Amino acid sequence: MADRTPREQASPSVQERVQDSFDRQGLMATLGARLAHIGPGRVHIVLPARPEVSQQHGYVHVGATSAIADSAGGYAALTVFPEDADVLTVEYKINLLAPAAGDHLEAIGTVLKSGRTLTVCQLEVYGVGADGARTLVANGQQTLIRINRPTD
Amino acid sequence: MADRTPREQASPSVQERVQDSFDRQGLMATLGARLAHIGPGRVHIVLPARPEVSQQHGYVHVGATSAIADSAGGYAALTVFPEDADVLTVEYKINLLAPAAGDHLEAIGTVLKSGRTLTVCQLEVYGVGADGARTLVANGQQTLIRINRPTD
Amino acid sequence: MADRTPREQASPSVQERVQDSFDRQGLMATLGARLAHIGPGRVHIVLPARPEVSQQHGYVHVGATSAIADSAGGYAALTVFPEDADVLTVEYKINLLAPAAGDHLEAIGTVLKSGRTLTVCQLEVYGVGADGARTLVANGQQTLIRINRPTD
Amino acid sequence: MADRTPREQASPSVQERVQDSFDRQGLMATLGARLAHIGPGRVHIVLPARPEVSQQHGYVHVGATSAIADSAGGYAALTVFPEDADVLTVEYKINLLAPAAGDHLEAIGTVLKSGRTLTVCQLEVYGVGADGARTLVANGQQTLIRINRPTD
């Protein structure tokens, strides 16, 4: 089934902050990933399935699946932080539930609990077919830490 | 300090099997990673730190760090499997302990316990400076499942 | 808010199988835990908050919180298995989100994906006040393996 | 083989601080666990295998195994903290590698990396036979947060 969840948008300034940071992640460009949705406490990242991100059987590599999941969770956290804060991943755990196949993957990071220091996100990655059919290919949980934004 | 652990080599046929599979992982080529050691139950993968694999502050992205850690663990498992078996990642958990900086990263996957169906690996990733100084930047634990090799 | 989710019951034979196994877990009796709901792919376990299960500040110990979460996930998996199968925990990861306080804890294990060999469950633990107020105190993810039931 | 690792002791004041906190954990007394070693950055906890801590097949329950692993890691962290600090578990992940059998279990928590806010520990649990034979039954990784000691 297609994803028909209504999608609330984050404020324009939050969207800009997330997009700016994403654009400075060299890995996202290298993988061919793009931000697909920036909501309050929820970010979607899309990754086209290409040979350049594959493992040995042609599916998307666990590392690429994890990379977009990690970034989706990190940016979901960033949307709920004050403007001068930045985020680092403390740790995450991810289960691979099905071969990461399809036209593209869609990673969804959702804030589960956000505290003054630590934030916990749920990570989901769907394989999306050319017909829009969605399969949950990975599910994870991530801990992030809020830091003062470095002046770079 | 430099890594001076003596390194036992896997048999030539195991080394060839691992190298062949690695060469079919499009993501490893895209990231610029290479196999640095194939021992029995222990595989090292090296990733040069480049802007193409960076996060927003210029360090290596958690996703790239995880990708080589996951592959190192998977291939460590493969070295102890029978010739006709293949491996899939069931899940892993990784802690990021320090900024992934340096000249390159070195991921080490080590088999902790290998059973008939499941194998558990320890994952370590070091940041290695131009002077050879090593810092543990990530530490993880991975569960893998043995499968019959697809005839591809 | 109170938990008003409609609760579908598992078949009587599945409920009996789960209850029988639970009753053989010495630890559940020692902790004072009881099965509160057995649905298809979903099991609830309740643990009264008592000094006997506390950590050093009087909250419920992470180990007790984890124990009921692990059992809830394991029995959720068992409800979807064939009659002659049993279940073992391969691994789990749990985040502690808030002090485990209240009148009692309620752990909920839910099957996320069930395969021929492996099953993945989501684990949630709520602290429930005397007034029924619920706080998510822990959230986790668990991998289980299906085994042939030993003839014990 | 027997564990013959030389064991450095923590200072008497650190040992007293850890023992005092342990003695206030109602769960440890309920399970029958005791502190077996308090070293700098390393704590051992022993749990006799009894029906009161069992799962459905008579082995030690994953929850009891996890409880002593979690406490061992938490107290290992406490040994490297300043005197006025306390510790809370943020999250942990544990793999169950073998049935938790034997005369008793021994959990070992070891500090892997300790920062100003977060500390990461390795968790190991051995099943120890009446003859002293040791089997690694669980292996995990834990994240802890340092907090100001509550005035209780």
Side-chain angles (χ1 to χ4, degrees):
Chain A
M1 82 205 145
D3 174 22
R4 298 190 184 288
T5 315
R7 298 187 178 178
E8 191 186 347
Q9 300 289 327
S11 74
S13 73
V14 166
Q15 294 204 43
E16 190 185 333
R17 192 147 51 91
V18 168
Q19 186 72 57
D20 281 356
S21 178
F22 186 92
D23 291 345
R24 281 182 284 135
Q25 292 201 333
L27 181 66
M28 291 297 111
T30 299
L31 297 178
R34 63 177 178 78
L35 278 165
H37 173 65
I38 306 166
R42 188 172 173 101
V43 164
H44 298 221
I45 295 177
V46 161
L47 175 71
R50 300 180 302 141
E52 287 82 356
V53 297
S54 69
Q55 39 87 285
Q56 69 274 22
H57 304 127
Y59 300 119
V60 178
H61 194 287
V62 168
T65 304
S66 301
I68 59 169
D70 172 66
S71 278
Y75 288 125
L78 201 61
T79 65
V80 301
F81 285 180
E83 202 181 327
D84 59 346
D86 207 334
V87 63
L88 284 178
T89 301
V90 171
E91 62 83 38
Y92 69 90
K93 178 257 207 291
I94 194 163
N95 275 75
L96 292 314
L97 304 174
D103 174 70
H104 63 273
L105 300 188
E106 181 171 8
I108 304 176
T110 307
V111 174
L112 200 60
K113 167 84 190 282
S114 188
R116 200 164 44 87
T117 306
L118 298 176
T119 294
V120 176
C121 285
Q122 188 186 10
L123 309 177
E124 297 161 282
V125 186
Y126 293 87
V128 184
D131 59 354
R134 297 168 69 84
T135 306
L136 185 65
V137 299
N139 199 76
Q141 203 165 303
Q142 181 191 37
T143 308
L144 304 133
I145 190 164
R146 199 168 104 187
I147 53 168
N148 293 327
R149 185 191 287 272
T151 56
D152 60 354
Chain B
M1 82 206 145
D3 175 20
R4 298 191 182 286
T5 315
R7 298 187 178 178
E8 191 187 348
Q9 301 289 327
S11 74
S13 72
V14 166
Q15 293 204 44
E16 189 184 335
R17 190 148 52 92
V18 169
Q19 186 72 56
D20 281 356
S21 177
F22 186 92
D23 291 345
R24 280 181 285 135
Q25 292 200 334
L27 181 66
M28 290 296 112
T30 299
L31 297 178
R34 63 177 178 80
L35 279 165
H37 173 65
I38 306 166
R42 188 171 173 102
V43 164
H44 298 222
I45 294 176
V46 160
L47 175 72
R50 300 180 302 140
E52 286 82 357
V53 296
S54 69
Q55 41 85 289
Q56 70 274 21
H57 303 126
Y59 300 119
V60 177
H61 194 287
V62 168
T65 304
S66 301
I68 58 169
D70 171 65
S71 278
Y75 287 125
L78 201 62
T79 65
V80 302
F81 285 179
E83 202 181 328
D84 59 345
D86 206 334
V87 63
L88 284 177
T89 302
V90 170
E91 62 82 40
Y92 68 91
K93 178 258 207 289
I94 193 163
N95 275 74
L96 292 315
L97 304 174
D103 173 71
H104 63 273
L105 300 188
E106 181 171 8
I108 304 177
T110 307
V111 174
L112 201 60
K113 167 83 190 280
S114 189
R116 199 163 44 86
T117 306
L118 298 177
T119 294
V120 177
C121 285
Q122 189 188 10
L123 309 177
E124 296 160 282
V125 186
Y126 292 88
V128 185
D131 59 353
R134 297 166 70 84
T135 306
L136 185 64
V137 299
N139 199 75
Q141 203 165 303
Q142 180 191 38
T143 309
L144 304 134
I145 190 165
R146 198 168 103 186
I147 53 168
N148 293 327
R149 185 191 287 272
T151 55
D152 59 355
Chain C
M1 83 209 142
D3 176 21
R4 298 192 183 286
T5 316
R7 298 187 179 177
E8 191 186 348
Q9 301 288 328
S11 73
S13 73
V14 165
Q15 293 203 45
E16 189 183 335
R17 191 149 51 93
V18 169
Q19 186 72 57
D20 281 355
S21 177
F22 186 92
D23 291 345
R24 281 181 285 134
Q25 293 200 334
L27 181 65
M28 291 296 112
T30 300
L31 297 177
R34 64 177 177 79
L35 278 165
H37 173 65
I38 306 166
R42 188 172 172 102
V43 164
H44 298 223
I45 295 176
V46 161
L47 175 71
R50 299 180 304 140
E52 286 81 357
V53 296
S54 70
Q55 41 85 287
Q56 70 274 23
H57 303 127
Y59 299 120
V60 177
H61 194 287
V62 168
T65 304
S66 301
I68 59 170
D70 171 65
S71 278
Y75 288 124
L78 201 61
T79 66
V80 301
F81 285 179
E83 202 181 330
D84 59 345
D86 207 334
V87 63
L88 284 179
T89 302
V90 170
E91 61 83 39
Y92 68 90
K93 179 259 208 286
I94 194 162
N95 274 75
L96 292 314
L97 304 174
D103 174 71
H104 63 273
L105 300 188
E106 181 171 8
I108 304 178
T110 308
V111 174
L112 201 60
K113 168 82 189 282
S114 190
R116 200 164 43 86
T117 306
L118 298 177
T119 294
V120 177
C121 285
Q122 189 187 9
L123 310 177
E124 296 161 283
V125 185
Y126 293 87
V128 185
D131 59 354
R134 298 168 70 85
T135 306
L136 185 64
V137 299
N139 199 75
Q141 203 166 304
Q142 180 192 37
T143 309
L144 304 134
I145 190 165
R146 198 168 105 185
I147 52 168
N148 293 327
R149 186 192 286 272
T151 54
D152 59 356
Chain D
M1 83 207 142
D3 174 20
R4 299 191 183 286
T5 315
R7 298 187 178 178
E8 190 186 348
Q9 300 289 327
S11 73
S13 72
V14 166
Q15 293 204 43
E16 188 183 335
R17 193 147 51 92
V18 169
Q19 186 73 55
D20 281 357
S21 178
F22 186 92
D23 290 346
R24 281 182 285 135
Q25 292 200 335
L27 182 65
M28 290 297 111
T30 300
L31 297 178
R34 63 176 178 79
L35 279 164
H37 173 66
I38 306 167
R42 190 173 171 101
V43 164
H44 299 222
I45 295 176
V46 161
L47 176 71
R50 298 180 304 140
E52 286 82 357
V53 296
S54 70
Q55 41 85 287
Q56 70 274 21
H57 304 127
Y59 299 119
V60 177
H61 194 286
V62 169
T65 304
S66 301
I68 58 169
D70 172 64
S71 278
Y75 287 124
L78 201 61
T79 65
V80 301
F81 286 180
E83 202 181 328
D84 59 344
D86 207 335
V87 63
L88 285 178
T89 302
V90 171
E91 61 84 37
Y92 68 90
K93 179 257 208 290
I94 194 163
N95 274 74
L96 293 314
L97 304 174
D103 174 71
H104 63 273
L105 300 188
E106 181 171 8
I108 304 177
T110 308
V111 174
L112 201 59
K113 167 83 189 283
S114 188
R116 200 166 43 87
T117 306
L118 298 177
T119 293
V120 177
C121 285
Q122 190 188 8
L123 310 177
E124 298 160 281
V125 185
Y126 293 88
V128 185
D131 59 354
R134 297 168 69 85
T135 305
L136 185 64
V137 299
N139 199 75
Q141 202 165 305
Q142 180 191 37
T143 309
L144 304 134
I145 190 164
R146 198 168 105 185
I147 53 168
N148 293 327
R149 185 191 287 272
T151 55
D152 61 352

